[in-house]
């Protein structure tokens, strides 16, 4: 009689298996599971015996999954995600009872306006939460899938992994930030008005690493331009713009009121106001999780307050 692989398996081992599948590294898996590396080794040996497969082979920089391991991880992930969603959606959610660490990744154009207000609002509604705000990076989507990041906020992406949800929060207006005594004195301008001035471009890793959004718009309009400076750090761009005639393509989220040496010029193209959507991204397993419903609502409300 064939062995019943489900009935005889300690289901706790499946979580260890999936974490190993994601990390392909014993140390990183032990850190995520808050157990020792020997405990991970023991769990892996039990899994190997159970499935009669090596599952992971040691290679120079970690582990390599066997074909059986790859297929197993792909097949069981949706079921465990579904179970997680069902269990989490069934609980009565009260933010003030939360006792956990929340890690939120924010793109730099969002981080500069949201970090303080988000901290204070979460501290007020969920005082026992340890909030960690991190910069958006090239690995943010992978970190969301692996559970290292809870939720992330950025512009829209053309392609997002199937494991993730893209949730539109709001649309924000495009604008330009310049120094107070910049030669362009308009408060409402078109892209043509900036021809001849250099761009100070914000780099959002994984979104516009190779070219700025403003450059794409100017290319479409056949407007000559030069990117004079690029940085992932908004403060670096602000410092450059304060002392040059460069302009910083930004959005209505930028906290101009905090910088007396800067002013904002809104953008229009014909009769069209240049708008850009802002999205939150999180794992499919949290689709009905009340914690993520609360986070999305809270982030959206704070963004609406910042969008002036």
């Amino acid at each position: 009689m064939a062995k019943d692989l489900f009935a005889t398996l300690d289901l706790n081992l499946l979580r260890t298996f999936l974490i190993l599948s994601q990390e392909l590294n014993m140390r990183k898996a032990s850190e995520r599971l808050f157990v020792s590396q020997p405990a991970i080794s023991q769990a892996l040996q039990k899994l190997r015996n159970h499935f009669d497969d090596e599952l992971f082979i040691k290679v120079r920089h970690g582990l390599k999954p066997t074909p059986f391991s790859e297929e197993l991880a792909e097949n069981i992930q949706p079921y465990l995600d579904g179970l997680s969603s069902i269990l989490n959606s069934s609980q009565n959610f009260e933010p003030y009872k939360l006792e956990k660490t929340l890690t939120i990744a924010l793109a730099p154009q969002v981080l500069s306006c949201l970090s303080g207000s988000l901290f204070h609002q979460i501290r007020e509604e969920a005082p026992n939460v340890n909030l960690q705000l991190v910069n958006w990076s090239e690995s943010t989507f992978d970190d969301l899938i692996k559970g290292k990041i809870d939720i992330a906020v950025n512009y829209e992406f053309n392609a997002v992994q199937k494991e993730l949800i893209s949730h539109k929060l709001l649309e924000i207006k495009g604008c330009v930030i310049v120094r107070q005594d910049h030669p362009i004195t308009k408060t409402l301008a078109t892209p043509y008005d900036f021809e001849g001035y250099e761009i100070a471009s914000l780099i959002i890793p994984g979104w516009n690493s190779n070219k700025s959004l403003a450059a794409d718009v100017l290319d479409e309009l056949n407007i000559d331009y030069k990117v004079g400076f690029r940085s992932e750090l908004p403060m670096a761009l602000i410092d450059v713009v304060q002392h040059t005639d460069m302009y910083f393509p930004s959005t209505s989220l930028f906290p101009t009121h905090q910088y007396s040496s800067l002013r904002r010029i809104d953008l229009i193209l014909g009769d069209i106001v240049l708008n850009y959507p802002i999205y939150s991204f999180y794992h499919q397993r949290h689709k009905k999780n009340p914690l993520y419903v609360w986070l999305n609502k809270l982030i959206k409300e704070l963004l609406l307050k910042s969008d002036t």
Side-chain angles (χ1 to χ4, degrees):
M1 184 175 178
K3 179 182 179 181
D4 188 334
L5 293 177
F6 178 77
T8 58
L9 176 65
D10 178 356
L11 296 183
N12 289 320
L13 294 174
L14 288 183
R15 175 164 169 75
T16 300
F17 168 73
L18 285 176
I19 297 299
L20 275 172
S21 298
Q22 294 168 355
E23 296 295 348
L24 297 177
N25 182 287
M26 300 283 277
R27 177 184 58 79
K28 291 181 179 178
S30 70
E31 289 174 353
R32 282 184 61 187
L33 291 166
F34 302 102
V35 298
S36 66
Q37 288 192 51
I40 296 293
S41 297
Q42 291 172 13
L44 178 55
Q45 189 57 52
K46 290 179 181 179
L47 286 162
R48 284 169 169 164
N49 293 335
H50 186 82
F51 290 111
D52 193 22
D53 188 272
E54 192 68 12
L55 296 177
F56 302 99
I57 301 167
K58 287 186 178 181
V59 293
R60 183 177 179 183
H61 298 295
L63 301 173
K64 179 181 179 181
T66 64
F68 173 80
S69 179
E70 289 181 327
E71 183 178 3
L72 181 64
E74 183 177 352
N75 287 334
I76 67 173
Q77 182 76 64
Y79 293 100
L80 290 184
D81 287 346
L83 179 60
S84 171
S85 178
I86 290 169
L87 293 176
N88 285 321
S89 63
S90 65
Q91 63 181 339
N92 293 324
F93 179 72
E94 297 174 302
Y96 72 91
K97 291 184 178 180
L98 282 176
E99 293 185 11
K100 63 176 298 176
T101 295
L102 283 177
T103 303
I104 302 176
L106 301 177
Q109 79 279 12
V110 178
L111 185 64
S112 61
C113 76
L114 195 62
S115 55
S117 59
L118 184 58
F119 167 77
H120 290 298
Q121 195 64 36
I122 288 180
R123 174 60 63 88
E124 180 178 332
E125 296 187 30
N128 297 315
V129 161
N130 176 29
L131 178 63
Q132 296 182 350
L133 296 182
V134 299
N135 285 311
W136 186 284
S137 73
E138 297 276 3
S139 66
T140 292
F141 283 149
D142 286 338
D143 289 340
L144 284 168
I145 292 171
K146 293 177 180 179
K148 294 180 178 180
I149 293 174
D150 294 291
I151 194 168
V153 183
N154 201 343
Y155 288 127
E156 182 179 17
F157 280 73
N158 292 328
V160 177
Q161 290 94 321
K162 64 181 180 180
E163 296 94 336
L164 300 179
I165 293 173
S166 304
H167 176 73
K168 185 177 178 180
L169 296 170
L170 76 166
E171 286 198 351
I172 54 177
K173 297 186 287 291
C175 70
V176 164
I177 305 300
V178 297
R179 61 187 175 90
Q180 277 289 356
D181 53 351
H182 193 279
I184 298 176
T185 58
K186 295 180 177 180
T187 56
L188 182 64
T190 74
Y192 295 96
D193 291 311
F194 297 92
E195 189 166 12
Y197 294 98
E198 291 182 309
I199 301 172
S201 172
L202 180 64
I203 299 172
I204 304 172
W207 191 79
N208 71 339
S209 299
N210 300 317
K211 192 175 184 180
S212 73
L213 177 62
D216 288 338
V217 173
L218 296 173
D219 276 337
E220 289 183 15
L221 298 173
N222 293 316
I223 298 174
D224 290 333
Y225 67 89
K226 179 182 178 182
V227 178
F229 180 67
R230 300 199 79 202
S231 178
E232 295 181 19
L233 306 174
M235 289 306 301
L237 295 172
I238 289 168
D239 189 48
V240 168
V241 168
Q242 286 179 135
H243 300 98
T244 68
D245 283 342
M246 287 189 191
Y247 64 96
F248 171 21
S250 187
T251 72
S252 46
L253 293 177
F254 184 86
T256 317
H257 62 280
Q258 296 181 13
Y259 302 95
S260 59
S261 61
L262 300 175
R263 60 185 170 87
R264 168 177 147 186
I265 302 175
D266 288 324
L267 293 173
I268 194 167
L269 184 58
D271 295 327
I272 302 172
V273 177
L274 298 178
N275 290 330
Y276 302 98
I278 293 289
Y279 282 76
S280 66
F281 302 92
Y282 51 101
H283 201 286
Q284 289 280 358
R285 64 175 168 266
H286 303 309
K287 186 175 182 178
K288 296 181 180 180
N289 189 328
L291 167 62
Y292 289 78
V293 174
W294 171 69
L295 280 175
N296 273 296
K297 181 175 180 290
L298 188 150
I299 292 170
K300 181 176 180 177
E301 288 176 350
L302 293 175
L303 286 174
L304 285 169
K305 289 180 181 178
S306 300
D307 183 29
T308 56

